[in-house]
């Protein structure tokens, strides 16, 4: 299998590099953690090393060292399409190599061969109450496939530790192959009167998803999904969802248990749910002024949101200190294909207004838009108007990143994660002790 061969070719070199770092530089101090870092969500504390992707605060995400613009231009594209094959993205992230068209297609084919979803998964989705959130359904559906895990079976048989990653990779390909149909099933169940559309194996990963949610007639929507999946595939391994998936995987939980846990983190409003909140906020802004608002009206509306103690969704970031290049890529897509879309124009007036207002608060560290500022607007344009589904689209994409980090963690033999928790009293006495020692100097 192409990805197994690719990883196998590199894995001993990576293991040597990691072993050398721990053996020769194990005592090297990377950072001293402050009390305020602990109380502010372990902010900025390096907690692990992963080479799949890295968020450069000033330039945005890099996949295996490549910027979003480089990836968009270098990865193979099918004829008559404008955005790369998802199979190529996975090859780059998992295999650490820019793929040829042949290799990208080999992964697309691998997915087609593994795409059959067991019937019990659909029954689990069907058993949810009508008001269930789409993310709860999606996460449960992924979780339910744990019983199919080849890693779990191998672990309880006689799989050797150095081969764990091979079984994890096998499971990862199954999971990522099945996931689009599961996501589509949820969409059709909730929003298309349960009119299900089966997969079309002549289509690539993104176009097949578009087809399964009833958007097969519009080739531009397939291109949007190629772009969307590419942009959301990974964002470093320390954000809430990726880190959760990694943490659970570190206990040698299988890929389904780990990715379901990651999705639950993604479902939070400060993380993946922001894309739906952002669009709802934008829609409300548009409806309040019954059309594309002026800059003055947007200023009033943002002020009202801030006065209510709420955040401006789609703006700010825990790590980025620049305009998110993923926002830029989405902006370019909309400007090219539907510059006059009224929701897009509304989003652009917000873009002209929000950063200065956020800077003026004096506390927002990054006043610039993140990817969520436009996600919903693009989907809405193509008739995917159900904002409570947008986080599922994010999850479908992010599963690529989750699985890459987990496979490589097993390939490099990363141990179970177990940081340390202190008590308030312990912390107070550590500080008091330090002060006492300083006074006696
Ligand atoms: N609007 C208003 N206030 C904001 C803000 C925004 N967009 N972004 C940050 N702030 C506020 C924070 O609430 C915080 O205020 P308090 O000190 O009163 O609590 C202050 O500015 C400092 O925050 P920060 O250090 O700049 O930002 P954080 O790292 O704490 O938080 C967030 C990063 C992304 C959670 C934050 O910017 C936010 O809530 N943004 C809006 C929601 C959003 O767009 N989330 C999606 C982020 C991308 C992502 O992960 N997608 O999955």
């Amino acid at each position: 299998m192409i990805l197994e061969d690719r990883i196998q070719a590199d894995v001993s070199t990576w293991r040597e590099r990691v072993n050398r770092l721990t053996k020769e530089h194990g005592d090297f101090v990377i950072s001293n953690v402050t009390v305020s870092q602990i109380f502010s969500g372990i902010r900025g504390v390096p907690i692990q090393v992963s080479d799949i992707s890295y968020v450069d605060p000033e330039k945005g995400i890099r996949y295996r060292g490549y910027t979003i613009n480089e990836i968009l231009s270098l990865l193979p594209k099918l004829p008559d399409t404008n955005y790369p094959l998802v199979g190529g993205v996975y090859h780059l992230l998992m295999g650490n190599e820019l793929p040829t068209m042949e290799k990208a297609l080999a992964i697309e084919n691998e997915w087609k061969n593994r795409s059959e979803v067991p019937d019990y998964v659909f029954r689990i989705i069907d058993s949810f109450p009508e008001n269930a959130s789409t993310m709860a359904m999606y996460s449960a559906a992924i979780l339910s496939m744990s019983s199919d895990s080849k890693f779990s079976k191998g672990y309880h048989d006689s799989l050797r530790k150095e081969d764990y990653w091979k079984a994890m990779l096998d499971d990862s390909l199954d999971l990522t192959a099945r996931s689009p149909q599961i996501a589509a099933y949820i969409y059709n169940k909730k929003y298309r009167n349960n009119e299900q559309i089966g997969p079309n194996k002549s289509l690539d990963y993104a176009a097949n998803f578009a087809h399964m949610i009833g958007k097969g007639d519009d080739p531009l929507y397939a291109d949007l999904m190629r772009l969307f999946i590419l942009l959301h595939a990974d964002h470093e391994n320390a954000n809430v969802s990726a880190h959760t998936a990694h943490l659970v995987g570190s206990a040698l939980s299988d890929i389904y248990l780990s990715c379901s846990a990651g999705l639950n983190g993604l479902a939070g409003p400060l993380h993946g749910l922001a894309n739906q909140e952002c669009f709802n906020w934008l829609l409300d802004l548009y409806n309040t002024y019954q059309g594309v608002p002026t800059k003055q009206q947007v200023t009033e509306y943002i002020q009202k949101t801030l006065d209510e103690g709420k955040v401006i969704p789609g703006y700010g970031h825990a790590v980025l200190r620049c305009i998110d290049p993923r926002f830029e890529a989405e902006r370019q897509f909309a400007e090219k294909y539907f510059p006059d879309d009224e929701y897009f124009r509304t989003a652009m007036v917000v873009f002209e207004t929000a950063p200065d207002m956020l800077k003026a608060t004096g506390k927002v560290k990054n006043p610039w838009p993140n990817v969520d500022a436009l996600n919903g607007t693009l989907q809405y344009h193509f008739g995917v108007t159900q904002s409570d589904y947008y986080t599922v689209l994010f999850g479908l994409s992010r599963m690529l990143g989750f699985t890459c980090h987990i496979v490589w963690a097993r390939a490099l033999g990363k141990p179970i994660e177990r940081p340390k928790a202190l008590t308030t009293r312990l912390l107070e006495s550590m500080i008091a002790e330090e002060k006492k020692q300083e006074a006696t100097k």
Side-chain angles (χ1 to χ4, degrees):
M1 183 227 297
I2 180 170
L3 280 173
E4 190 175 312
D5 295 346
R6 180 81 273 290
I7 296 174
Q8 185 72 64
D10 277 4
V11 75
S12 54
T13 315
W14 282 103
R15 283 178 181 158
E16 277 162 30
R17 284 175 72 182
V18 173
N19 287 342
R20 199 174 321 122
L21 281 168
T22 50
K23 274 200 187 117
E24 295 175 17
H25 307 284
D27 295 330
F28 183 81
V29 177
I30 298 170
S31 73
N32 292 312
V33 181
T34 64
V35 171
S36 55
Q37 280 179 306
I38 294 179
F39 279 110
S40 61
I42 342 175
R43 195 56 48 87
V45 179
I47 52 157
Q48 57 171 299
V49 178
S50 173
D51 294 275
I52 316 278
S53 71
Y54 172 70
V55 181
D56 180 334
E58 306 301 332
K59 296 206 172 75
I61 185 70
R62 285 167 191 268
Y63 292 168
R64 295 289 189 177
Y66 294 98
T67 63
I68 290 294
N69 280 341
E70 287 166 340
I71 294 161
L72 287 172
S73 76
L74 294 172
L75 286 185
K77 304 176 184 80
L78 289 175
D80 302 323
T81 69
N82 295 300
Y83 291 90
L85 281 165
V86 178
V89 180
Y90 206 49
H91 190 283
L92 174 63
L93 290 172
M94 185 74 93
N96 188 25
E97 182 189 70
L98 279 174
T100 57
M101 174 62 97
E102 196 191 354
K103 288 181 177 176
L105 286 174
I107 294 178
E108 293 272 344
N109 281 333
E110 190 79 49
W111 277 329
K112 284 173 195 174
N113 295 336
R114 293 167 179 262
S115 62
E116 194 168 331
V117 178
D119 200 50
Y120 65 79
V121 176
F122 301 127
R123 302 292 74 80
I124 281 169
I125 296 172
D126 289 342
S127 71
F128 270 75
E130 242 175 61
N131 65 351
S133 89
T134 53
M135 279 301 275
M137 292 164 117
Y138 191 42
S139 173
I142 299 297
L143 182 65
S144 72
M145 295 188 290
S146 173
S147 50
D148 289 355
S149 168
K150 293 162 189 160
F151 168 78
S152 260
K153 188 172 177 317
Y155 179 80
H156 291 105
D157 292 344
S158 53
L159 190 62
R160 293 176 322 152
K161 193 174 179 198
E162 58 269 35
D163 290 334
Y164 284 176
W165 68 269
K166 293 182 187 167
M168 275 290 184
L169 176 63
D170 208 351
D171 281 347
S172 294
L173 284 160
D174 284 344
L175 183 152
T176 48
R178 294 171 180 182
S179 157
Q181 197 183 350
I182 295 170
Y185 188 89
I186 294 169
Y187 185 81
N188 293 329
K189 183 168 176 59
K190 281 217 71 138
Y191 313 117
R192 296 182 68 252
N193 296 320
N194 207 14
E195 268 180 48
Q196 301 295 338
I197 305 173
N200 177 344
K201 289 196 178 181
S202 72
L203 299 171
D204 63 282
Y205 195 83
N208 183 41
F209 173 74
H211 154 79
M212 288 188 290
I213 63 162
K215 302 280 168 211
D217 295 343
D218 189 346
L220 197 54
Y221 184 70
D223 249 345
L224 173 66
M225 283 313 297
R226 289 184 194 101
L227 174 66
F228 188 100
I229 295 173
L230 183 155
L231 296 178
H232 290 80
D234 203 21
H235 212 235
E236 203 180 78
N237 205 19
N239 63 68
V240 167
S241 57
H243 184 227
T244 303
H246 167 87
L247 173 69
V248 174
S250 84
L252 297 185
S253 303
D254 67 53
I255 206 82
Y256 303 99
L257 294 162
S258 306
C259 288
S260 169
L263 288 174
N264 298 339
L266 193 69
L270 295 186
H271 191 18
L273 204 78
N275 65 4
Q276 44 183 281
E277 301 214 328
C278 186
F279 188 72
N280 291 339
W281 182 86
L282 198 78
L283 204 58
D284 191 52
L285 162 64
Y286 179 89
N287 291 337
T288 301
Y289 298 105
Q290 294 175 354
V292 180
T294 62
K295 215 174 153 188
Q296 180 54 37
Q297 288 169 328
V298 171
T299 305
E300 277 168 23
Y301 188 79
I302 289 178
Q303 196 54 56
K304 180 170 159 284
T305 306
L306 293 175
D307 291 346
E308 285 167 358
K310 296 181 187 153
V311 294
I312 308 303
Y315 284 75
H317 201 271
V319 180
L320 288 175
R321 296 294 176 259
C322 62
I323 297 176
D324 190 336
R326 303 171 301 171
F327 167 87
E328 279 295 1
E330 291 195 336
R331 179 160 82 123
Q332 281 164 21
F333 186 97
E335 264 164 9
K336 184 166 171 192
Y337 297 113
F338 41 87
D340 297 329
D341 178 288
E342 297 224 326
Y343 298 116
F344 174 61
R345 283 175 49 212
T346 302
M348 287 302 98
V349 186
V350 175
F351 178 46
E352 284 167 29
T353 316
D356 283 342
M357 293 185 70
L358 291 175
K359 277 183 214 164
T361 65
K363 63 175 184 178
V364 179
K365 297 197 188 64
N366 180 46
W368 305 111
N370 59 59
V371 69
D372 292 326
L374 273 181
N375 275 332
T377 310
L378 269 60
Q379 292 293 333
Y380 201 90
H381 177 84
F382 288 95
V384 181
T385 55
Q386 303 81 2
S387 61
D388 55 347
Y389 187 71
Y390 296 162
T391 313
V392 174
L393 295 174
F394 192 163
L396 166 71
S397 319
R398 189 51 66 88
M399 220 86 81
L400 301 180
F402 291 168
T403 51
C404 291
H405 289 287
I406 292 170
V407 168
W408 273 94
R410 297 293 73 76
L412 298 177
K414 287 191 183 174
I416 187 166
E417 268 195 13
R418 180 56 169 96
K420 186 80 191 91
L422 302 171
T423 63
T424 308
R425 170 173 278 209
L426 200 51
L427 191 54
E428 285 164 348
S429 52
M430 284 162 84
I431 294 166
E433 181 61 27
E434 173 84 12
K435 285 222 162 106
K436 210 161 101 190
Q437 289 197 3
E438 270 173 19
T440 56
K441 271 183 199 163

